[in-house]
């Protein structure tokens, strides 16, 4: 079993093996477990009281207490207040119960089958796949979503199954190792989200309602969602109970499970298919509900549910309680702000910190075995300087072509000198800013990969760009018309705070790459939840944020371009100073200190430089582009082995990538336009999928 597999929880039903020398320690651990379980039970009881109290307050805001029983049992059709209570307030609560219970059941199955405490529909990309399928159907086959959504479930199920097939296909050869599954789920989620954002940009008025619904809205107008979810939960629960013995045996490793007569592959696929269908049922009914499937099984175990049968009962109850409490807590806030706050997005605001807490409690793990470096042996005929010169020439040529060659009223053509003087004033700032952003992202990605020893590290994957975006969102919420200096400060602060959080959580595992990846995934999910809340509220802030998130260079001015170019030159000039540190720090603290390196100061300096690079680039091309991931790998493929060589080659490659992405987005769909960051994501995510598949097949 690889080091990654030690992320999995130990078999819960195996008898404890206490040594004779440590009976007191064993008793202390047992007593601590009982105490923790009691505290969780008390917390769940308080949550139940809070949910009931909030429900009563929300009901009182709709109808006076004297009308409650009549409104709930036999409403007067002439009283609009009673109709709202009976056909909106009450089915909303019941829907929250059913959706939360269904997600709790699905999360329990996922975590048990995959032996991964972080598995749930959202982190596995299944919810994103279902939502994308529904978005596509709403645009090109709206009739399939008619009749009170009766046809939504097959569409959502198709998207969920497609996403699950990609995720599990990428991770299958690695034995469904938790980190590989988590990274594959992250990539599928980001890619599906990028496609959804592109569609949102093109069809904003038509898809805004779908976007709000996709954020996990529990608003009800009748009992149709209850009628859709209740039988699916009942059937899913019955099937899960029939699979009880195989699910118990999944706690063992594959060899022991097979020795006990378990048809491992067939039953694993059956259990995963059941969990995917349960997840699709929720997405098709109420949209994407984040992290309930993660939190409910964890709370059930902390409350003392050790056996699988106990978890199959208690986890759905915990899921129902969590979503009920979250939805009731959101309603007064939404009423106060006069905006709609999707309960699904709000649940992620609570779930992402819980995921970080679970990561902090995980045992120490070793290096990332499932995903190794992709460096190849290439010919040394050309020196690094010659390769840099060649890449620089290609980049300069591409910049010229991007300025001159494009689509016009007469099709593809080169601009004449007279025409070029008119279009260059619009195109040149965009290309300069795009190139500068690509350079900075490539340098940030190289620094992170070298510092963590993780070939999948990048500002986008580790959540650094998401942290920068959170800083930007906070600034827009406070002052939408803030200047460039304030925006750079806000994004830099968010990026640096994210890096500190990542390394603080990773410190317990000695900066193990898989821990860093998983913390980044949690922070990225928190960022997505905040974005969903802000955009669902609509207004000027939502439009500004959506345009910026997509990574558009459309609004770049000559002043912006010069600022981006100046930042990239200054920060790139600092990058060569890190060569010695990048060569020494991966050796470990002891070796670094022996060589005279003050490791806390060195880590702080590298983190600060990475945060500034990520923040400055994120301001231009948004938080998602994957250039920080791909450019260092292309530099390795070009022969760069030493840190300075990789920095030297990755910088122009990153700039070239964003320039090409900006040119493609500007010309392919003329007169419409795709933002550069979005185009880079649409191509970068498949690249990462290929990388994962390649590493899994070589493992």
């Amino acid at each position: 079993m690889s080091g990654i597999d030690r992320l999995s929880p130990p078999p819960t039903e195996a008898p404890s093996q206490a040594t004779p020398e440590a009976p007191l320690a064993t008793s202390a651990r047992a007593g601590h477990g009982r105490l923790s379980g009691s505290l969780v039970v008390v917390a769940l009881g308080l949550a139940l009281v809070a949910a009931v109290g909030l429900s009563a307050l929300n009901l009182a805001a709709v109808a006076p207490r004297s009308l409650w029983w009549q409104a709930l049992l036999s409403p007067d059709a002439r009283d609009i207040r009673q109709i709202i209570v009976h056909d909106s307030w009450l089915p909303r609560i019941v829907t929250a119960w059913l959706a939360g219970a269904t997600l709790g059941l699905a999360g329990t199955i996922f975590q048990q089958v995959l032996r991964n405490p972080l598995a749930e529909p959202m982190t596995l990309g299944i919810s994103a796949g279902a939502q994308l399928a529904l978005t596509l159907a709403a645009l090109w086959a709206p009739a399939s979503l008619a009749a009170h959504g009766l046809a939504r479930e097959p569409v959502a199920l198709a998207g969920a199954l497609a996403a699950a097939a990609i995720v599990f296909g990428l991770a299958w050869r690695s034995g469904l190792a938790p980190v590989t599954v988590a990274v594959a789920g992250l990539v599928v989620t980001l890619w599906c989200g990028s496609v959804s954002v592109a569609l949102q940009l093109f069809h904003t008025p038509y898809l805004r309602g779908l976007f709000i619904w996709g954020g996990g809205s529990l608003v009800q107008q009748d009992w149709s969602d209850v009628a859709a979810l209740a039988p699916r939960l009942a059937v899913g629960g019955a099937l899960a109970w029939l699979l009880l013995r195989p699910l118990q045996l999944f706690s063992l490793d594959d060899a022991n499970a097979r020795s006990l007569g378990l048809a491992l592959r067939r039953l694993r696929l059956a259990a995963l298919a059941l969990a995917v269908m349960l997840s699709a049922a929720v997405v098709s009914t109420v949209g994407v509900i984040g992290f309930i499937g993660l939190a409910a099984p964890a709370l059930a175990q902390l409350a003392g549910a050790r056996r699988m049968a106990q978890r199959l009962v208690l986890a759905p109850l915990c899921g129902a309680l969590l979503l009920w409490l979250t939805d009731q807590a959101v309603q007064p806030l939404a009423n106060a702000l006069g905006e709609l706050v999707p309960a699904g997005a709000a649940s992620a605001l609570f779930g992402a910190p819980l995921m970080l807490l679970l990561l902090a409690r995980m045992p120490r793990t070793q290096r990332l075995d499932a995903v190794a470096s992709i460096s190849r042996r290439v010919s040394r005929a050309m020196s690094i300087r010659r390769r840099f010169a060649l890449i620089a020439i290609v980049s300069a040529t591409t910049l010229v072509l991007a300025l001159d060659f494009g689509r016009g009223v007469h099709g593809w053509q080169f601009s004449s000198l007279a025409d070029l003087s008119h279009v260059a004033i619009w195109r040149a700032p965009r290309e300069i800013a795009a190139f500068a952003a690509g350079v900075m992202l490539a340098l940030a990605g190289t620094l992170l990969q070298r510092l963590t020893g993780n070939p999948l590290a990048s500002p986008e994957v580790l959540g650094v760009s998401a942290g920068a975006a959170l800083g930007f969102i906070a600034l827009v919420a406070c002052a939408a018309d803030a200047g460039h200096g304030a925006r750079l400060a806000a994004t830099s602060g968010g990026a640096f705070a994210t890096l500190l959080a990542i390394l603080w959580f990773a410190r317990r595992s000695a900066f193990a790459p898989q821990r860093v990846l998983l913390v980044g995934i949690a922070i990225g999910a928190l960022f997505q939840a905040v974005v969903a809340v802000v955009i669902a509220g609509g207004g000027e802030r939502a439009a500004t944020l959506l345009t910026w998130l997509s990574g558009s260079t459309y609004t770049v001015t000559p002043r912006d371009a010069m600022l981006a170019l100046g930042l990239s030159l200054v920060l790139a000039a600092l990058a060569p100073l890190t060569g010695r540190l990048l060569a020494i720090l991966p050796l470990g603290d002891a070796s670094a200190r022996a060589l005279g390196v003050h490791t806390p100061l060195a880590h702080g300096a590298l983190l600060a430089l990475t945060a500034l690079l990520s923040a400055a680039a994120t301001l231009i091309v948004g938080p998602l582009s994957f250039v920080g991931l791909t450019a260092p790998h292309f530099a390795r493929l070009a022969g760069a082995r030493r840190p300075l060589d990789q920095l030297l080659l990755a910088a122009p490659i990153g700039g070239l990538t964003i320039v090409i992405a900006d040119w493609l987005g500007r010309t392919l769909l003329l007169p419409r336009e795709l933002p550069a960051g979005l185009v880079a994501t649409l191509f970068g995510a498949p690249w990462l999928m290929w990388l994962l598949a390649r590493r899994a097949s070589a493992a």
Side-chain angles (χ1 to χ4, degrees):
M1 188 181 293
S2 68
I4 293 175
D5 291 331
R6 288 194 290 271
L7 278 172
S8 308
T12 55
E13 298 182 20
S16 60
Q17 301 294 328
T19 58
E21 293 79 9
L24 293 179
T26 303
S27 300
R29 285 194 298 270
H32 177 72
R34 287 192 295 269
L35 180 60
S36 300
S38 300
L39 291 176
V40 172
V41 171
V42 172
L44 290 174
L46 293 176
L48 177 60
V49 173
V52 173
L54 287 170
S55 299
L57 288 176
N58 293 328
L59 178 58
V62 177
R65 186 173 302 178
S66 59
L67 296 178
W68 284 7
W69 286 112
Q70 182 181 355
L72 292 174
L73 301 177
S74 180
D76 184 352
R78 296 169 298 179
D79 190 343
I80 188 63
R81 296 172 298 177
Q82 297 186 42
I83 297 299
I84 292 175
V85 171
H86 187 270
D87 290 336
S88 180
W89 179 86
L90 184 56
R92 179 168 182 161
I93 289 181
V94 178
T95 301
W97 293 344
L98 294 173
T102 304
L103 290 173
L105 179 60
T108 302
I109 296 173
F110 277 131
Q111 292 180 17
Q112 184 71 9
V113 174
L114 299 176
R115 305 189 190 101
N116 182 354
L118 300 178
E120 67 116 12
M122 188 171 179
T123 59
L124 294 177
I126 292 169
S127 296
Q131 184 182 12
L132 177 59
L134 289 168
T135 302
L136 295 173
L139 285 175
W140 291 297
S144 65
L145 305 183
H148 298 287
L150 295 179
R152 286 204 305 250
E153 187 170 1
V155 175
L157 181 59
L161 288 174
I166 295 173
V167 172
F168 298 139
L170 292 174
W172 193 267
R173 292 188 179 181
S174 67
L176 297 175
V179 172
T180 307
V181 172
V183 174
L186 168 70
V187 175
V188 170
T189 299
L190 292 180
W191 190 84
C192 293
S194 299
V195 175
S196 297
V197 169
L199 296 173
Q200 174 80 2
L201 290 173
F202 289 157
H203 307 280
T204 300
Y206 187 70
L207 287 181
R208 183 176 180 269
L210 183 64
F211 189 89
I212 296 172
W213 170 82
S217 175
L218 293 175
V219 176
Q220 301 295 309
Q221 297 178 349
D222 52 34
W223 290 83
S224 59
D225 286 347
V226 173
L229 275 177
R232 286 157 179 79
L233 175 60
V235 172
L239 292 176
W241 197 261
L242 292 176
L243 291 172
L244 177 59
R245 182 176 180 275
L247 288 174
Q248 290 174 329
L249 296 180
F250 277 122
S251 296
L252 307 174
D253 58 54
D254 289 357
N256 289 333
R258 287 193 186 95
S259 68
L260 293 174
L262 183 65
L264 196 62
R265 176 169 298 185
R266 184 175 60 196
L267 289 174
R268 176 173 284 163
L269 289 175
L272 290 175
L274 173 59
V276 169
M277 286 188 286
L278 290 170
S279 307
V282 174
V283 175
S284 65
T285 305
V286 297
V288 177
I289 304 291
F291 286 99
I292 296 297
L294 170 73
L299 288 176
Q301 284 191 300
L302 291 174
R306 296 292 181 261
R307 297 181 179 276
M308 191 63 207
Q310 296 172 334
R311 295 205 298 274
L312 286 178
V313 174
L314 188 55
L317 294 177
C318 290
L321 175 59
L322 284 176
L323 189 54
W324 178 24
L325 176 62
T326 301
D327 183 53
Q328 294 302 313
V330 161
Q331 290 184 47
L333 179 63
N335 293 333
L337 297 177
E339 299 174 347
L340 177 61
V341 181
S347 66
L349 296 178
F350 299 105
L354 175 63
M355 185 174 179
L356 296 176
L357 178 62
L358 293 176
L359 287 169
R361 293 170 58 90
M362 278 185 175
R364 293 173 180 263
T365 54
Q366 302 301 318
R367 294 184 62 84
L368 188 61
D369 299 324
V371 186
S373 175
I374 67 164
S375 58
R376 282 181 193 166
R377 295 190 174 274
V378 296
S379 172
R380 294 281 181 176
M382 278 195 296
S383 67
I384 294 296
R385 290 183 180 178
R386 289 183 179 179
R387 291 170 186 155
F388 173 78
L390 178 61
I391 296 172
I393 292 173
V394 172
S395 300
T397 304
T398 303
L399 279 169
V400 173
L401 289 175
L403 288 173
D404 188 48
F405 185 66
R407 290 177 65 184
V409 293
H410 301 294
W412 294 95
Q413 60 185 10
F414 287 95
S415 302
S416 64
L417 291 177
D419 293 335
L420 184 61
S421 63
H422 292 93
V423 299
I425 193 174
W426 305 104
R427 294 179 182 175
R430 296 181 57 167
E431 305 305 333
I432 292 173
F435 187 82
V439 168
M440 290 186 285
L441 282 175
L443 292 175
T446 304
L447 290 174
L448 285 174
Q449 290 182 17
R450 287 284 179 175
L451 183 61
T452 63
N454 182 355
L456 289 179
S458 74
E460 304 91 349
V461 175
L462 294 187
V464 179
S465 294
L470 286 173
F472 180 83
I473 292 172
L475 180 65
V476 169
C478 299
D481 57 346
H484 291 286
R487 293 188 177 191
L488 180 61
T491 51
S492 299
F496 191 73
T498 301
L499 279 171
L500 290 179
I502 289 172
L503 295 179
W504 185 84
F505 278 99
R507 186 177 180 183
R508 185 168 177 263
S509 61
F511 301 99
Q514 62 269 34
R515 181 66 60 84
V516 178
L517 276 175
L518 295 175
V519 174
I521 291 171
I523 293 175
L526 177 62
F527 155 71
Q528 290 178 349
V530 174
V531 169
V533 171
V534 174
I535 292 181
E540 183 181 350
R541 289 180 302 174
T544 302
L545 183 60
L546 185 61
T547 302
W548 176 77
L549 286 175
S550 62
S552 175
T553 59
Y554 182 78
T555 59
V556 170
T557 64
R559 181 174 177 271
D560 297 335
M562 291 301 102
L563 177 62
L565 183 61
L567 285 172
S568 65
L569 291 175
V570 172
L571 297 176
L574 298 175
L577 303 179
T578 65
R580 180 172 178 269
L581 296 178
L582 293 176
I584 293 176
L585 288 177
L587 301 177
D589 286 351
S591 300
R593 291 193 189 98
L595 294 173
V597 175
H598 190 270
T599 53
L601 182 61
H603 276 110
L606 289 174
L607 292 178
L609 179 58
T610 303
L612 285 173
L613 287 166
S614 303
T618 301
L619 274 177
I620 302 168
V621 294
L624 298 175
S625 67
F626 281 97
V627 173
L629 172 72
T630 56
H633 287 301
F634 281 123
R636 281 181 174 272
L637 293 176
R641 296 293 181 270
R642 296 181 301 174
L644 284 180
D645 294 344
Q646 192 175 15
L647 289 169
L648 186 66
L649 295 186
I653 290 175
L656 176 63
T657 302
I658 293 293
V659 169
I660 293 175
D662 184 69
W663 178 78
L664 290 173
R666 174 166 51 86
T667 58
L668 286 181
L669 299 178
L670 196 74
R672 291 181 173 180
E673 183 172 320
L674 277 177
L678 197 59
V679 174
T681 304
L682 294 176
F683 288 101
W687 157 263
L688 183 52
M689 293 180 195
W690 175 83
L691 176 62
L692 284 169
R694 185 170 176 266
R695 289 301 95 205
S697 63

